[in-house]
Each structure stands twice: as structure tokens, then as C-alpha cells.
Amino acid sequence: MDTAVTRIRERANLTPFESEQLGENARLMCARMLDEAASATSRGERWSATVGYISVTLTPAG
């Protein structure tokens, strides 16, 4: 996720506040993915979440 955040920061015209918020939102999303998403997908369930402007949906394969 750090690479994606870095790329967005490089390409988008973000204010310092927006850049900081993006990093914080990405950190929170990673934590949710490691906890909630891992549990849901291990049970074969689809998982979706939004934190700020970051939205993620994971669908287990198979």
C-alpha cells in the first residue's frame, strides 16, 4: 500500500493536509484489511470497506 500512496502523492496535486490524510487513511485501511478482510475472505466471504476516499473490495477466488 505504501507504493500506491507514494505514486498517488507523486501524480496528484495534493495539499500537505490531503497528503497526510491519504497516508492516515491508507494506514487505517491496511489495518482493517489485515483484521476484518482476512477473517472474511478466509471464510469465503466478500469484504468491502471505505476509509476516507479509499474503497477496497475483496472477493475470494474459487
Side-chain angles (χ1 to χ4, degrees):
M1 183 83 68
D2 290 339
T3 302
V5 170
T6 299
R7 286 182 182 158
I8 292 167
R9 284 179 171 149
E10 289 171 352
R11 291 178 175 93
N13 188 19
L14 301 179
T15 66
F17 177 77
E18 291 168 331
S19 181
E20 185 177 325
Q21 288 297 304
L22 175 63
E24 179 62 13
N25 291 339
R27 186 190 66 76
L28 293 171
M29 181 60 80
C30 283
R32 289 186 69 181
M33 289 172 68
L34 290 171
D35 180 29
E36 299 167 24
S39 296
T41 56
S42 71
R43 294 188 304 267
E45 300 171 0
R46 183 177 177 201
W47 179 85
S48 292
T50 300
V51 177
Y53 292 110
I54 299 172
S55 293
V56 175
T57 298
L58 300 176
T59 304

